[in-house]
Amino acid sequence: MTHPTIPFIDLKSQFSALEPQIRERMDRVLAHGQYILGPEVTELEEQLADFVGVTHCYGVASGTDALQIALMALGVGPGDEVITVPYTWISSAETIALVGARPVFVDIQPDTWNMDPTQLEAAITERTRAIMPVGIYGQPADMAAVNAIADRHGLLVVEDAAQSLGSTHHGKRAGGLGTIGCTSFFPSKPLGCYGDGGALFTDNPDLAQRMKQIRNHGQAKKHHHPILGINARLDTLQAAVLLAKLEVFDQEIDQRQTVASHYARALSGSSIKAPQVANSNTSVWAQYTVLSDDREALKERLKAEGIPSVNYYAVPMHRQPVFADLGYQAGDFPVSEHVADHCLSLPMSPALTASQIDHITSTLVARAD
């Protein structure tokens, strides 16, 4: 029996379910014509601040812009060091370098694949200014441990919640777990728009004001630019899409967790390693990523059954040519390298049907041992 190809991330089904709400929201923008910083942007910021549980939220043009603006608002620059992980998308390290600071890497935990707090203090120097933990694949890092270390050393914490918005750590939402939280609305994210987009979160009013100015050329009021900024405003049309999607986001998170539970049950006892969620966390399952000792063969066999898969972050940051001058070598971060060499992300979407899940899991188990 030939199975139809399963979407890796099913945005078409999501749009079909939400089309009336999305079109209504977008039509309002087309009618009023305020395409830059229109009323939908402010409405979205207010709803997201309430959702995350912080006092300030500002929409920006991308998750990468959010990270860069956060570092700029904190005054991170040349001569500073910022600690992050090598197993992540390049934006985490890229933005540190773009503001003139030096990325410093620490390895990840072997179970959650997030920053290992036990390695943090050894990486702190007199030049360390901030720590940037990443919530990989949908769950936060051990932010309680990271914040405690940061507090002891007088450091700032930029939470990269590009994949973890909607998850929790000790009951508190991702995005609100550091000095500044950053997220992305790239279309494939659990809460995604139809282009690039992102947001910043904080409880600090001074940082909030700086971030608001930086995203709009450093402008405090018309024709008055007291600080340097960039052009990083969230488009009003993207805000309209996000407002429609935010209405069902909690429901979609529940559906993602149901899909993840099916995967976990199917992989129990298999040689394929399923992802682990820390006891203090919930996950929004931005990706469902497994480890396999025979990844390439498994990937090809899944493909033959119409099941797409992706090996994300196959080359960790410390092995990227752009960061060669940092002086890291292969073997410096063994957990990151092991995960990079063995990881495979499976289809994950709230719209996955029971039959699709059964087909994926039966293929996985059949090929696993």
Side-chain angles (χ1 to χ4, degrees):
M1 178 181 178
T2 301
H3 291 271
T5 299
I6 296 172
F8 185 68
I9 298 170
D10 192 353
L11 296 178
K12 288 184 179 179
S13 293
Q14 184 193 48
F15 175 67
S16 178
L18 294 173
E19 182 174 359
Q21 298 94 313
I22 291 173
R23 290 194 181 278
E24 180 184 0
R25 284 281 189 177
M26 294 186 76
D27 283 347
R28 290 182 198 173
V29 178
L30 296 172
H32 65 57
Q34 298 177 56
Y35 299 113
I36 303 297
L37 297 180
E40 284 78 8
V41 174
T42 301
E43 183 181 356
L44 177 68
E45 290 168 345
E46 291 172 350
Q47 289 193 23
L48 284 172
D50 183 63
F51 177 81
V52 171
V54 296
T55 51
H56 304 280
C57 169
Y58 292 106
V60 292
S62 71
T64 303
D65 283 334
L67 292 170
Q68 182 173 344
I69 290 169
L71 294 169
M72 291 172 69
L74 293 172
V76 175
D80 294 331
E81 294 177 350
V82 178
I83 302 172
T84 191
V85 291
Y87 187 70
T88 181
W89 175 240
I90 195 168
S91 295
S92 308
E94 175 184 51
T95 51
I96 295 168
L98 282 172
V99 299
R102 178 185 176 88
V104 173
F105 299 122
V106 298
D107 212 350
I108 57 175
Q109 297 172 317
D111 51 358
T112 67
W113 311 330
N114 273 321
M115 178 179 280
D116 186 347
T118 66
Q119 300 191 33
L120 261 179
E121 292 194 280
I124 295 172
T125 73
E126 61 182 12
R127 293 186 174 184
T128 306
R129 186 71 183 278
I131 304 170
M132 186 188 288
V134 180
I136 207 74
Y137 295 139
Q139 69 169 316
D142 187 349
M143 296 298 293
V146 171
N147 286 330
I149 293 167
D151 288 345
R152 285 201 299 271
H153 292 269
L155 302 176
L156 306 163
V157 177
V158 176
E159 179 196 3
D160 184 343
Q163 295 184 25
S164 57
L165 186 72
S167 66
T168 62
H169 179 63
H170 292 290
K172 188 172 181 180
R173 295 270 196 184
L177 302 172
T179 313
I180 297 174
C182 305
T183 200
S184 167
F185 300 127
F186 189 78
S188 63
K189 296 295 189 284
L191 180 63
C193 57
Y194 291 158
D196 278 311
L200 291 145
F201 304 94
T202 191
D203 282 321
N204 184 300
D206 294 331
L207 289 175
Q209 184 64 21
R210 286 182 62 82
M211 294 189 301
K212 183 180 181 181
Q213 293 177 17
I214 291 169
R215 73 164 177 184
N216 191 20
H217 300 285
Q219 181 173 265
K221 58 184 178 181
K222 193 170 184 179
H223 304 309
H224 181 62
H225 303 258
I227 59 176
L228 282 175
I230 59 177
N231 179 8
R233 300 166 300 219
L234 178 65
D235 289 346
T236 310
L237 281 167
Q238 301 299 347
V241 172
L242 289 164
L243 281 165
K245 290 192 177 188
L246 189 57
E247 291 180 14
V248 299
F249 190 35
D250 279 328
Q251 176 185 335
E252 290 191 342
I253 293 171
D254 290 341
Q255 292 170 319
R256 286 174 173 273
Q257 290 171 343
T258 298
V259 174
S261 296
H262 283 296
Y263 277 146
R265 282 195 296 271
L267 292 173
S268 178
S270 164
S271 62
I272 296 175
K273 182 180 179 182
Q276 302 299 307
V277 178
N279 291 334
S280 58
N281 289 349
T282 63
S283 178
V284 72
W285 299 106
Q287 305 291 347
Y288 192 93
T289 304
V290 301
L291 300 186
S292 172
D293 290 332
D294 198 12
R295 178 178 68 185
E296 294 310 312
L298 178 60
K299 186 174 182 178
E300 287 304 311
R301 289 166 182 166
L302 288 167
K303 182 179 179 181
E305 293 292 329
I307 303 167
S309 59
V310 179
N311 49 315
Y312 285 106
Y313 321 128
V315 181
M317 291 303 99
H318 67 291
R319 292 168 58 186
Q320 292 289 350
V322 69
F323 295 126
D325 62 344
L326 296 178
Y328 293 111
Q329 305 295 323
D332 284 349
F333 305 103
V335 181
S336 293
E337 292 176 23
H338 176 79
V339 174
D341 289 342
H342 294 82
C343 67
L344 195 64
S345 294
L346 306 175
M348 171 52 74
S349 168
L352 276 176
T353 65
S355 62
Q356 288 174 326
I357 295 169
D358 286 343
H359 179 50
I360 295 166
T361 54
S362 63
T363 304
L364 279 170
V365 173
R367 304 298 186 184
D369 297 299

